Amino acid sequence: AQSVTQLGSHVSVSEGALVLLRCNYSSSVPPYLFWYVQYPNQGLQLLLKYTTGATLVKGINGFEAEFKKSETSFHLTKPSAHMSDAAEYFCAVSDVDSSYKLIFGSGTRLLVRP
Amino acid sequence: DTAVSQTPKYLVTQMGNDKSIKCEQNLGHDTMYWYKQDSKKFLKIMFSYNNKELIINETVPNRFSPKSPDKAHLNLHINSLELGDSAVYFCASSQDLNGELFFGEGSRLTVL
């Protein structure tokens, strides 16, 4: 069965610092991997996704993530944090064996200090 | 125009009542979903419909009944509400089963 683990329920960085949000997944077949962002009192919005092909995926707002099969990871990074990046971030996985049902991690709250 | 819209946005009700949440998408998508987000922000899929046909039905009490009158609508009816049903319910849609999900803004249900 698929699962997603997000290390760290809260991550705090200074404005301008590197953002690194960790995500590890388990899937018995090639996964589809996603990062979603949720701003307060809003629904989730897709940041980026990996399906096939290039393992480094670029998304909106300067975020990117790298699929590393050997590490079963899909960590999210951004070189320089902005105050507007403060939000809840969710990693998610789906695959053909589960009828592409999207399984979410528990989320990581990103706090950006001025 | 809002792509995925849910009503109501807030719902406060007593235990034992029956309530419905409506969802409409104007994206022309074939697949719609209901997710539940609990107080710890954990998101769990409840149901998924593809072209009005139920394709995912997670382990959800049968007090929850989805209804899809057409491809653009997926409503959620909840009978005999319990305290543990308090959560934010998100509707979402996607073009196909492995596509990007577009979420509504959520409906916050509080059961007293």
Side-chain angles (χ1 to χ4, degrees):
Chain A
Q2 311 154 302
S3 66
V4 178
T5 302
Q6 291 184 240
L7 284 177
S9 58
H10 291 80
V11 169
S12 180
V13 301
S14 298
E15 193 172 18
L18 171 72
V19 175
L20 171 60
L21 304 183
R22 297 179 187 274
C23 172
N24 288 87
Y25 70 91
S26 70
S27 175
S28 56
V29 296
Y32 289 10
L33 296 160
F34 305 79
W35 275 99
Y36 281 84
V37 60
Q38 184 179 28
Y39 298 102
N41 299 314
Q42 293 188 26
L44 282 73
Q45 178 185 359
L46 183 70
L47 271 180
L48 49 80
K49 65 178 179 182
Y50 168 80
T51 53
T52 58
T55 55
L56 182 62
V57 180
K58 294 187 186 301
I60 61 171
N61 301 339
F63 284 94
E64 61 183 37
E66 186 170 11
F67 169 56
K68 291 188 177 180
K69 185 178 176 182
S70 60
E71 298 177 8
T72 60
S73 69
F74 191 58
H75 302 329
L76 182 70
T77 60
K78 181 174 179 177
S80 175
H82 192 272
M83 296 297 289
S84 61
D85 294 327
E88 192 89 24
Y89 291 81
F90 291 92
C91 183
V93 65
S94 72
D95 62 41
V96 62
D97 279 0
S98 62
S99 303
Y100 298 108
K101 182 173 61 178
L102 200 59
I103 304 298
F104 284 90
S106 54
T108 298
R109 172 152 295 185
L110 177 65
L111 307 168
V112 182
R113 304 184 302 270
Chain B
D1 273 350
T2 305
V4 181
S5 57
Q6 302 177 224
T7 54
K9 193 165 182 176
Y10 300 96
L11 190 51
V12 181
T13 188
Q14 301 286 334
M15 265 178 24
N17 284 349
D18 303 339
K19 290 294 177 187
S20 293
I21 306 172
K22 295 186 177 182
C23 178
E24 176 182 4
Q25 54 97 2
N26 62 7
L27 298 167
H29 288 168
D30 288 341
T31 309
M32 295 186 71
Y33 310 79
W34 278 109
Y35 278 82
K36 179 180 180 181
Q37 187 174 47
D38 63 23
S39 58
K40 295 184 178 176
K41 299 284 188 179
F42 183 65
L43 267 163
K44 188 166 167 38
I45 190 167
M46 300 173 70
F47 302 104
S48 172
Y49 272 73
N50 183 259
N51 277 316
K52 300 197 304 174
E53 183 182 341
L54 181 65
I55 54 170
I56 293 175
N57 184 354
E58 289 297 286
T59 309
V60 175
N62 56 16
R63 298 182 294 104
F64 290 78
S65 52
K67 277 198 170 55
S68 181
D70 55 59
K71 270 185 9 175
H73 295 85
L74 180 61
N75 303 323
L76 183 65
H77 188 75
I78 316 170
N79 288 329
S80 304
L81 279 156
E82 299 177 357
L83 293 176
D85 297 332
S86 296
V88 181
Y89 292 85
F90 284 100
C91 178
S93 72
S94 64
Q95 178 55 47
D96 40 48
L97 289 173
N98 60 349
E100 173 187 354
L101 264 62
F102 289 79
F103 283 82
E105 293 193 340
S107 297
R108 182 176 293 275
L109 172 65
T110 303
V111 183
L112 303 175

